[in-house]
């Protein structure tokens, strides 16, 4: 990686927790300059605007979550185990490591104001749901899950319940909301084991 690429990645990594907690509108260039210890020109040399940086930050955070789940799921041989591992990953890491869910944080801010970010968030939602659906379908094909297990509906349920629980857990400063939802989602998986 060349020096310019390393600097750009450094700016993204240092800016990620700021954008994910303060939002796009709430993050100032001064916040970014303070976190990176770079002058404004040093940041603008790599990003044309704060909005351009926010798009790269979302990509970075989304890929971190995706890659983390992939690493967990790859090591588990059963479909039930993969779903449990995925849910445990979200339960144990999202509130503590990243300051919440980037999909929720960026999506809430961009839904009516930033069509480019909205499209990136939409794609991340699709990727999230598709992974869950694929695990279920693979489990049905291997004879682990009943054909009655509706992969698409369950994926929507996981996504919406998870996002709501993250929001409430953060507002209430109580992770039990998320823990309880994850436990409920796991119980539902067990209903479809053959």
């Amino acid at each position: 990686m060349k020096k310019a690429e390393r600097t750009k990645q450094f700016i993204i990594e240092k800016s990620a927790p700021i954008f994910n907690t303060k939002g796009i509108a709430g993050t100032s260039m001064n916040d970014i300059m303070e976190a990176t210890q770079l002058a404004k020109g040093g940041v603008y040399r790599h990003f044309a605007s704060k909005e351009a940086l926010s798009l790269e930050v979302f990509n970075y955070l989304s890929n971190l979550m995706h890659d983390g789940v992939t690493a967990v799921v790859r090591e588990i041989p059963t479909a039930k185990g993969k779903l449990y591992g995925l849910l445990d990953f979200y339960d144990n890491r999202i509130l503590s490591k990243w300051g919440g869910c980037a999909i929720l944080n960026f999506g809430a801010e961009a839904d009516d104001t930033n069509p480019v970010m909205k499209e990136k968030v939409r794609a991340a939602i699709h990727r999230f749901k598709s992974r869950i659906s694929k695990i279920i379908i693979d489990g049905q094909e291997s004879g682990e899950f009943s054909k009655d297990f509706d992969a698409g509906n369950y994926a929507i349920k996981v996504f919406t319940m998870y996002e709501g629980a993250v929001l409430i857990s953060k507002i209430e400063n109580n992770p039990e909301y998320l823990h309880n939802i994850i436990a409920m989602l796991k119980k539902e998986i067990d209903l479809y084991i053959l």
Side-chain angles (χ1 to χ4, degrees), residues 5-51:
E5 293 168 341
R6 284 194 308 272
T7 303
K8 184 175 181 178
Q9 187 62 32
F10 171 78
I11 294 167
I12 292 168
E13 290 175 12
K14 290 294 188 180
S15 300
I18 301 167
F19 276 107
N20 204 32
T21 54
K22 288 186 164 190
I24 299 168
T27 298
S28 70
M29 285 307 289
N30 286 336
D31 294 329
I32 295 163
M33 290 164 39
E34 183 178 322
T36 61
Q37 297 297 301
L38 294 172
K40 192 179 281 190
V43 175
Y44 281 120
R45 186 174 303 120
H46 299 281
F47 300 95
S49 65
K50 182 177 79 166
E51 288 72 26

Side-chain angles (χ1 to χ4, degrees), residues 78-81 83-84 139 143-147 149 186-194:
T78 66
K80 175 186 174 182
L83 289 176
Y84 268 51
E144 189 177 343
F145 289 137
S146 161
K147 296 290 185 189
F149 197 175
K186 285 181 176 179
K187 283 183 184 177
E188 186 170 347
I189 293 166
D190 293 341
L191 298 174
Y192 296 99
I193 297 292
L194 291 175

Side-chain angles (χ1 to χ4, degrees), residues 49-163:
S49 65
K50 182 177 79 166
E51 288 72 26
L53 174 57
S54 73
L55 292 170
E56 292 296 324
V57 164
F58 179 77
N59 287 340
Y60 170 73
L61 290 170
S62 178
N63 287 332
L64 268 182
M65 186 163 51
H66 176 77
D67 294 348
V69 172
T70 298
V72 168
V73 169
R74 182 183 300 130
E75 301 300 318
I76 302 171
T78 66
K80 175 186 174 182
K82 288 179 187 300
L83 289 176
Y84 268 51
L86 178 143
L87 292 169
D88 287 339
F89 177 88
Y90 292 132
D91 192 17
N92 296 327
R93 291 174 181 86
I94 206 69
L95 292 176
S96 62
K97 188 168 185 179
W98 293 308
C101 177
I103 292 172
L104 177 65
N105 294 340
F106 283 78
E109 189 170 2
D111 66 343
D112 293 322
T113 61
N114 188 331
V116 176
M117 181 65 76
K118 182 178 180 177
E119 181 55 30
K120 286 190 173 291
V121 172
R122 188 202 63 72
I125 292 168
H126 180 73
R127 184 167 67 173
F128 182 112
K129 293 187 311 183
S130 293
R131 180 194 304 267
I132 294 167
S133 293
K134 182 175 181 347
I135 292 170
I136 293 169
I137 292 165
D138 289 348
Q140 289 170 328
E141 289 173 357
S142 70
E144 189 177 343
F145 289 137
S146 161
K147 296 290 185 189
D148 295 336
F149 197 175
D150 188 323
N153 281 338
Y154 185 75
I156 291 168
K157 183 183 290 187
V158 169
F159 181 76
T160 56
M161 290 178 74
Y162 163 75
E163 292 294 346

